[in-house]
Amino acid sequence: MDALSKIFDDIHLNRSEYIYLKPQGNWVHCYQEQDAMIGYVVLVGSMMLQLNSHTQLYVEAGDLILIPSGQNHSCSSHTHSNLVEALDITTLFDQKRQETIEFGSSSGESTLILAIRCHLDTLMARPLLHALPPYIHIHHITGSAAPEWLQIGLHFLAIEAYQIRPGRDKILDHLVSILFIECVRDYIAQLNDSNNWLSALSHPELSNALAAIHSQPELAWTVETLADQCCMSRSKFATLFSQIVGETPLAYLQQYRFRLASQHLRAGQFSIQQIAHRVGYSSETAFSQTFKKLFNLTPSQYRQQFQ
């Protein structure tokens, strides 16, 4: 399995939820950060999206905007007044999922927005989220110039969203995952900065080392054996890896192992000794000591937080 595929396996991108937002006239809605990715497809009308005090985006009909980290943000009409009370849509994905939410003033232009939320393991996704921009904006997704994968994906999404058929939730999960993966792949293809963790995922040599780490973290990897995966010398591999990824191969390996260990601890399916072996530690004591240094909690204390 290639590195990017394994990373998407790790982050558990699932539980897709959607609502249709149908604001009219003067309106504002806000969203509070969760462990989820947020996407908006503007079907009719337009909106202003405010990510922070420095970032405001104009999103028009036919545009897709993806916020990978699901950070706090607000969306509004162009003419909204500060006196307009913002509708918090954070909980609506649970309470009103698959419904159409009407809000705003009684007169004025109507807008129709498909809002999608997809949950993920933010700890496992940390390198990916740090490497991605705060938002990915794809213009005119319904036009002929849009990528074919996006047109097909949105077509299937629309069909499944409107029809109540067995297995729909699973289909939607897969469709949203595919859309997110394709957005990331599209972003990687357009990267100009070669010193970026995302560049390493598609690097003709380094990607082999990342795939090895993510596929078999339990193996006793060394810089030499990882360099062998890339058919490179030890020194050339270590220099190139540190330059592009931003840390040494063994530091990256350790960080990944303990993100994975934290995921296993939260899931509660394995004993601490089993988890230690799964991430490359033959000694439970050594594993627990390193875990505490990184998380300021013992594995047992960390697990208790999620029970």
Side-chain angles (χ1 to χ4, degrees), residues 37-41 64-67 93 113-118:
M37 171 198 75
I38 297 293
Y40 296 105
V41 180
L64 165 68
I65 190 89
L66 188 73
I67 306 173
F93 286 97
I113 304 160
L114 173 61
I116 306 165
R117 180 170 76 178
C118 194

Side-chain angles (χ1 to χ4, degrees), residues 14 47 52 55 76 98 115 120 130 136 153 155 162 165 174 222 238 247 264:
N14 58 21
M47 69 180 190
N52 51 52
T55 306
S76 65
Q98 304 168 16
L120 48 77
H130 282 178
I136 297 174
H155 175 70
Y162 275 110
R165 295 193 296 174
H174 283 304
T222 64
E247 56 186 338
H264 286 316

Side-chain angles (χ1 to χ4, degrees), residues 127 194-201 206-207 210 237-249 251-253:
S194 60
N195 296 334
N196 183 299
W197 176 79
L198 286 171
S199 300
L201 298 179
L206 290 187
S207 59
L210 289 173
F237 165 73
T239 300
L240 187 63
F241 191 100
S242 298
Q243 178 185 334
I244 293 181
V245 177
E247 56 186 338
T248 67
Y252 182 88
L253 172 63

Side-chain angles (χ1 to χ4, degrees), residues 4 25 51 65 89 125 127 140 160 183 191 199 201 215 229 271 282 299:
L4 186 60
L51 272 180
I65 190 89
I89 68 168
H140 309 303
E160 290 299 329
C183 283
L191 265 180
S199 300
L201 298 179
S215 298
Q229 295 288 316
S271 69
S282 57

Side-chain angles (χ1 to χ4, degrees), residues 4-300:
L4 186 60
S5 296
K6 187 64 180 72
I7 286 161
F8 275 103
D9 267 355
D10 290 340
I11 68 177
H12 290 180
L13 192 67
N14 58 21
R15 248 185 75 209
S16 300
E17 302 151 336
Y18 68 90
I19 50 177
Y20 284 96
L21 301 173
K22 193 175 181 182
Q24 184 173 352
N26 295 321
W27 59 272
V28 184
H29 83 246
C30 61
Y31 180 84
Q32 308 301 318
E33 184 170 358
Q34 305 241 306
D35 292 343
M37 171 198 75
I38 297 293
Y40 296 105
V41 180
V42 178
L43 302 171
V44 177
S46 60
M47 69 180 190
M48 300 298 295
L49 188 146
Q50 187 86 37
L51 272 180
N52 51 52
S53 57
H54 307 294
T55 306
Q56 188 177 61
L57 306 169
Y58 173 67
V59 189
E60 61 184 341
D63 286 5
L64 165 68
I65 190 89
L66 188 73
I67 306 173
S69 65
Q71 70 183 75
N72 294 351
H73 60 273
S74 63
C75 300
S76 65
S77 59
H78 302 277
T79 56
H80 86 275
S81 162
N82 291 331
L83 299 177
V84 176
E85 184 177 356
L87 172 70
D88 189 341
I89 68 168
T90 312
T91 60
L92 297 184
F93 286 97
D94 297 317
Q95 299 170 359
K96 303 286 187 179
R97 59 179 306 186
Q98 304 168 16
E99 294 186 22
T100 299
I101 315 300
E102 298 184 5
F103 61 103
S105 56
S106 57
S107 61
E109 181 186 350
S110 291
T111 303
L112 182 61
I113 304 160
L114 173 61
I116 306 165
R117 180 170 76 178
C118 194
H119 293 268
L120 48 77
D121 185 327
T122 51
L123 186 58
M124 291 300 290
R126 185 181 294 165
L128 178 62
L129 296 178
H130 282 178
L132 287 172
Y135 65 90
I136 297 174
H137 188 176
I138 301 180
H139 299 267
H140 309 303
I141 59 174
T142 54
S144 58
E148 188 176 1
W149 61 262
L150 188 54
Q151 296 182 49
I152 294 171
L154 288 171
H155 175 70
F156 275 101
L157 185 63
I159 291 173
E160 290 299 329
Y162 275 110
Q163 296 183 3
I164 308 296
R165 295 193 296 174
R168 184 183 65 168
D169 289 348
K170 197 67 178 174
I171 290 289
L172 287 172
D173 282 348
H174 283 304
L175 286 172
V176 173
S177 296
I178 289 167
L179 287 174
F180 185 37
I181 293 167
E182 287 291 356
C183 283
V184 171
R185 284 169 47 164
D186 203 48
Y187 178 75
I188 292 173
Q190 298 176 45
L191 265 180
N192 294 319
D193 179 13
S194 60
N195 296 334
N196 183 299
W197 176 79
L198 286 171
S199 300
L201 298 179
S202 56
H203 191 280
E205 296 160 323
L206 290 187
S207 59
N208 293 331
L210 289 173
I213 288 171
H214 284 262
S215 298
Q216 297 178 294
E218 74 281 2
L219 296 187
W221 294 111
T222 64
V223 177
E224 288 83 1
T225 56
L226 288 170
D228 288 343
Q229 295 288 316
C230 305
C231 300
M232 298 172 71
S233 69
R234 181 190 185 283
S235 58
K236 182 181 178 182
F237 165 73
T239 300
L240 187 63
F241 191 100
S242 298
Q243 178 185 334
I244 293 181
V245 177
E247 56 186 338
T248 67
L250 295 186
Y252 182 88
L253 172 63
Q254 184 188 62
Q255 289 293 325
Y256 175 68
R257 281 173 166 172
F258 282 90
R259 285 197 303 272
L260 186 60
S262 73
Q263 187 180 67
H264 286 316
L265 287 166
R266 281 177 273 131
Q269 294 177 328
F270 303 109
S271 69
I272 292 172
Q273 184 180 43
Q274 288 173 320
I275 293 171
H277 284 265
R278 281 177 163 266
V279 298
Y281 279 77
S282 57
S283 165
E284 182 182 338
T285 301
F287 165 76
S288 297
Q289 288 173 344
T290 307
F291 189 94
K292 187 172 183 180
K293 285 180 183 177
L294 294 173
F295 289 86
N296 295 317
L297 292 169
T298 66
S300 297

